[in-house]
Amino acid sequence: MGELRNLISMKDLDRKQIDHILDVSSKMEDVAIKRSKDLESKIMAVLFFEPSTRTRLSFESAMLRLGGSVLGFAEATTSSAGGKGETLADTIRTVERYADIIVIRHPLDGSARVAAEFSSIPVINAGSGSEEHPTQALLDLYSIKKFKGSIDGLSISLCGDLKYGRTVHSLGMALTNYNVSIKLAAPQMLRMKPAVIEDMRKAGAEVIEVDSVEEAVKDVDVIYMTRIQKERFPDPREYDKVVGRFSITADDAPLMRDDAIVLHPLPRVDELSADLDGLPQARYFDQVYNGVILRMAILKMILG
Ligand code: NCD
């Protein structure tokens, strides 16, 4: 496979490259525990213009486990971009002089691609608007493979906010590289945009749409739930119409296959009720750790 330099969109990766990333990730399971000094001389800058817990901290944990160092900001308001109106281009031109790689999260679609164009060092997209979140999609694939043994042959429900959710946009595209059937389950208002479904079908995926939680959880191997992306609604009254209307509770568990798994990128609000947490199908907190493993693989592949 060609060298990995930037990681901006799942559309930039083919199956061979994805499988290679998943293989390198498996090898990181041991390294994550023992730690290494492979990236001892490297510095990672994290530029987070939007809130994050898992993505930023798992990137940092991944870099520290590989012996590297970390700097950055976790809030736009504390940077010159937020507080003083500096352009993204100037922020990148500055940070590239301080670090060896940039991990960026930004509220605008296309932001990571723009950052990469201005950057002389590699850029990783840690979430660009409602458009994409490729490292999340890769850790989701890694989780599916780890928990279910393989990805091919599975049926997968992508549920919740399919309109504004960037994780499902990236995961939907990523899954088209495998032989899977995809069920899109969302309230009418939050259906995946027709153009995105079209892209998935063109890429060869079998896609159906349903609009109830019952349909979402039935007859599938993987239930991938997402949070309604309140912060992306242009009109808060629209959010009020859907909040609390699409959640999985323990009452839905009898509809699930015994060996199904429930995943979620987290954070959850009320779309996965806490009474699910003890069920064998609930794997979303195990999924969190895979974020460290997968991101170690990405950092190692780009910087190692
Ligand atoms: C997601 C995100 O930021 O898109 N979170 C994450 O990275 N794990 C999902 C969300 O915020 O709902």
Side-chain angles (χ1 to χ4, degrees):
M1 110 178 215
E3 261 178 43
L4 191 61
R5 180 184 154 84
N6 299 312
L7 180 49
I8 306 298
S9 164
M10 283 314 298
K11 291 181 186 166
D12 300 336
L13 299 177
D14 61 23
R15 169 149 185 175
K16 225 171 126 199
Q17 291 170 307
I18 297 172
D19 282 340
H20 183 56
I21 293 170
L22 303 186
D23 285 346
V24 176
S25 300
S26 303
K27 301 201 177 87
M28 288 297 151
E29 295 275 359
D30 256 5
V31 187
I33 296 164
K34 295 187 189 134
R35 315 292 158 99
S36 93
K37 296 203 181 311
D38 284 1
L39 300 186
E40 200 173 17
S41 62
K42 303 291 183 186
I43 299 173
M44 174 180 78
V46 289
L47 313 184
F48 275 58
F49 295 88
E50 276 195 338
S52 170
T53 298
R54 276 149 291 264
T55 305
R56 185 173 61 85
L57 296 182
S58 64
F59 261 114
E60 295 194 1
S61 180
M63 190 61 175
L64 296 173
R65 283 168 203 246
L66 289 166
S69 311
V70 178
L71 53 80
F73 54 81
E75 224 188 320
T77 49
T78 62
S79 74
S80 285
K84 302 181 183 178
E86 184 166 56
T87 64
L88 182 57
D90 284 359
T91 301
I92 299 297
R93 287 184 188 114
T94 302
V95 175
E96 69 183 10
R97 291 171 162 85
Y98 301 152
D100 301 293
I101 188 164
I102 290 172
V103 178
I104 182 170
R105 167 171 289 190
H106 194 282
L108 291 181
D109 289 14
S111 50
R113 177 90 56 202
V114 169
E117 275 162 20
F118 284 107
S119 181
S120 61
I121 62 173
V123 172
I124 300 177
N125 180 5
S128 49
S130 58
E131 171 202 42
E132 280 238 34
H133 192 348
T135 61
Q136 180 69 47
L138 288 165
L139 86 86
D140 297 337
L141 291 181
Y142 183 70
S143 301
I144 293 171
K145 195 166 172 199
K146 185 162 151 183
F147 300 151
K148 296 294 297 177
S150 78
I151 302 169
D152 283 316
L154 298 182
S155 52
I156 296 161
S157 274
L158 302 180
C159 319
D161 187 345
L162 306 184
K163 183 174 181 184
Y164 298 115
R166 56 191 169 203
T167 67
V168 279
H169 294 150
S170 288
L171 182 56
M173 269 326 282
L175 285 170
T176 63
N177 290 288
Y178 296 86
N179 178 19
V180 293
S181 62
I182 301 172
K183 202 191 269 189
L184 301 177
Q188 282 296 327
M189 263 176 59
L190 298 177
R191 286 170 59 186
M192 198 169 272
K193 291 193 182 108
V196 182
I197 301 180
E198 203 39 49
D199 279 352
M200 286 164 64
R201 289 200 172 121
K202 268 194 204 139
E206 187 194 312
V207 183
I208 61 162
E209 285 189 275
V210 300
D211 62 6
S212 73
V213 170
E214 293 73 25
E215 286 295 327
V217 302
K218 259 182 13 195
D219 304 326
V220 290
D221 302 298
V222 180
I223 300 158
Y224 186 90
M225 191 57 162
T226 59
R227 173 180 71 88
I228 299 182
Q229 309 282 298
K230 183 180 184 181
E231 67 276 27
R232 311 227 186 268
F233 279 62
D235 180 351
R237 284 169 303 186
E238 295 293 298
Y239 174 74
D240 293 338
K241 284 188 202 157
V242 282
V243 63
R245 300 270 304 277
F246 207 82
S247 22
I248 305 178
T249 70
D251 291 342
D252 300 305
L255 296 171
M256 293 178 200
R257 288 183 181 163
D258 291 341
D259 62 351
I261 56 171
V262 180
L263 301 178
H264 191 304
L266 302 177
R268 67 169 153 186
V269 184
D270 56 6
E271 65 281 2
L272 284 182
S273 120
D275 61 12
L276 282 173
D277 295 357
L279 296 180
Q281 288 100 332
R283 302 303 297 272
Y284 29 92
F285 286 109
D286 301 324
Q287 181 188 358
V288 167
Y289 179 67
N290 297 332
V292 176
I293 303 295
L294 185 283
R295 288 171 177 128
M296 285 177 73
I298 298 289
L299 291 171
K300 181 81 198 295
M301 287 171 74
I302 297 179
L303 292 174

